[in-house]
Amino acid sequence: SEFLEFNHCFLKYPRTREIKIINEDNLKARFEIVQQDEQSKRMGTYEVDQWSGVIEPKSTKIITVKLRTEILGNVRVNFVVKLDGQHQSQMIMLLATSIGPNVRPDTEEIDFGNVTVLEPVPRKIKIKNEAEIDAEYTAFTKKKDSIWKVVERYGVLKPYEEKQIQVVCLADEVVKSEGKEQLALEV
């Protein structure tokens, strides 16, 4: 095949696929995986379980390829296999869509109800990292002079880790809130 598709890969997290090198001849065949050029390493890097070897007549060699993306978005990295007796090397394009972590809150809304002025009222929300990589997060209210404050604004969630963060309402005037205020979670 001219392409080896890794689909969605988490940024800097290795994903593994296999390629088959088939020797249809009656003689042994020698193969070599060409080292990656430095320029393509900015997009992604690959490792293999065997860089060179011999394939017996009428047999198949399976090579494990591990790709690690270095940028977000579409990643295309050339992977070249040299085979003895062939004038042209075989080029395979490693394809992936590199994505970052995915952090989700357990609720879309926090209802504080009626609160007493100048008395802090805490509520907790749970956030979960639904990715195979660490997720750095920042939680904050969109208005700078908000009556709501996030207690732990910064943090790191390990893969699949859940954490509760506390939001405190501290009303400083006897004013009914006009609608909703947004709490932002950036990853």
Side-chain angles (χ1 to χ4, degrees), residues 54-88:
V54 174
I55 307 170
E56 295 298 321
K58 304 285 185 192
S59 65
T60 300
K61 184 72 174 172
I62 296 174
I63 304 293
T64 302
V65 181
K66 191 182 291 185
L67 177 68
R68 182 181 142 166
T69 59
E70 299 295 330
I71 62 166
L72 291 172
N74 293 328
V75 173
R76 298 169 61 94
V77 176
N78 288 332
F79 182 87
V80 180
V81 181
K82 284 185 181 178
L83 299 169
D84 282 353
Q86 289 192 359
H87 299 294
Q88 230 176 357

Side-chain angles (χ1 to χ4, degrees), residues 88-120:
Q88 230 176 357
S89 298
Q90 299 292 314
M91 189 172 82
I92 302 168
M93 185 67 66
L94 306 181
L95 302 173
T97 302
S98 181
I99 58 175
N102 185 13
V103 176
R104 299 244 188 254
D106 67 341
T107 183
E108 295 293 319
E109 230 175 74
I110 304 172
D111 185 359
F112 284 87
N114 293 324
V115 296
T116 304
V117 175
L118 300 177
E119 187 175 307

Side-chain angles (χ1 to χ4, degrees), residues 2-178:
E2 294 178 13
F3 301 99
L4 183 58
E5 181 64 60
F6 285 79
N7 300 318
H8 287 93
C9 297
F10 288 108
L11 181 68
K12 299 183 184 277
Y13 184 83
R15 178 80 55 178
T16 303
R17 296 285 186 264
E18 293 179 342
I19 61 168
K20 294 179 184 178
I21 305 174
I22 302 169
N23 180 6
E24 297 174 340
D25 201 46
N26 291 324
L27 300 171
K28 291 181 180 182
R30 184 157 180 72
F31 74 91
E32 178 186 350
I33 309 297
V34 177
Q35 291 287 332
Q36 186 175 2
D37 65 89
E38 289 301 314
Q39 185 174 351
S40 71
K41 287 182 179 180
R42 289 186 225 148
M43 295 191 75
T45 57
Y46 62 78
E47 296 176 18
V48 294
D49 61 343
Q50 188 174 352
W51 289 95
S52 63
V54 174
I55 307 170
E56 295 298 321
K58 304 285 185 192
S59 65
T60 300
K61 184 72 174 172
I62 296 174
I63 304 293
T64 302
V65 181
K66 191 182 291 185
L67 177 68
R68 182 181 142 166
T69 59
E70 299 295 330
I71 62 166
L72 291 172
N74 293 328
V75 173
R76 298 169 61 94
V77 176
N78 288 332
F79 182 87
V80 180
V81 181
K82 284 185 181 178
L83 299 169
D84 282 353
Q86 289 192 359
H87 299 294
Q88 230 176 357
S89 298
Q90 299 292 314
M91 189 172 82
I92 302 168
M93 185 67 66
L94 306 181
L95 302 173
T97 302
S98 181
I99 58 175
N102 185 13
V103 176
R104 299 244 188 254
D106 67 341
T107 183
E108 295 293 319
E109 230 175 74
I110 304 172
D111 185 359
F112 284 87
N114 293 324
V115 296
T116 304
V117 175
L118 300 177
E119 187 175 307
V121 179
R123 296 284 187 271
K124 291 184 179 181
I125 61 169
K126 189 181 338 178
I127 57 174
K128 181 179 181 182
N129 180 4
E130 297 177 344
E132 297 169 338
I133 59 176
D134 288 357
E136 291 184 41
Y137 70 87
T138 304
F140 56 92
T141 54
K142 292 212 172 184
K143 289 183 182 177
K144 191 174 183 176
D145 57 348
S146 176
I147 63 171
W148 291 276
K149 301 290 181 227
V150 180
V151 175
E152 186 180 343
R153 296 186 59 195
Y154 309 100
V156 176
L157 291 170
K158 296 292 181 193
Y160 302 104
E161 181 181 16
E162 291 181 0
K163 183 178 197 174
Q164 287 190 342
I165 57 176
Q166 189 171 1
V167 180
V168 176
C169 176
L170 182 59
D172 57 4
E173 296 178 25
V174 183
V175 176
K176 186 172 181 174
S177 174
E178 296 294 325

